[in-house]
Amino acid sequence: MPVQIIKPRPNPKTAQRVTEVGAALGAMVRAMVPAVQKAGEEMGRSVERLRTQRPA
């Protein structure tokens, strides 16, 4: 008995939703950048302060 391979057709609604979700995730990440940058700088200052308090 021959097997018929069904090729799915792309769903434009799904493609649109994927694009929207990708844009939303991109915006969220871009909004977080300043906070992450500030936290990294503060962590660096804390590490430096600890390093000067207790020399290795």
Side-chain angles (χ1 to χ4, degrees):
M1 184 181 267
V3 176
Q4 182 181 7
I5 297 175
I6 301 171
K7 292 184 180 179
R9 282 182 267 143
N11 185 340
K13 291 241 184 230
T14 302
Q16 179 183 359
R17 187 68 184 135
V18 168
T19 301
E20 291 170 358
V21 169
L25 288 173
M28 184 180 71
V29 169
R30 283 190 297 278
M32 289 173 53
V33 167
V36 171
Q37 202 169 22
K38 183 178 177 186
E41 291 168 359
E42 290 175 3
M43 190 184 312
R45 285 193 291 272
S46 295
V47 168
E48 189 59 36
R49 194 167 38 246
L50 289 171
R51 192 176 292 144
T52 58
Q53 289 175 358
R54 287 182 38 182

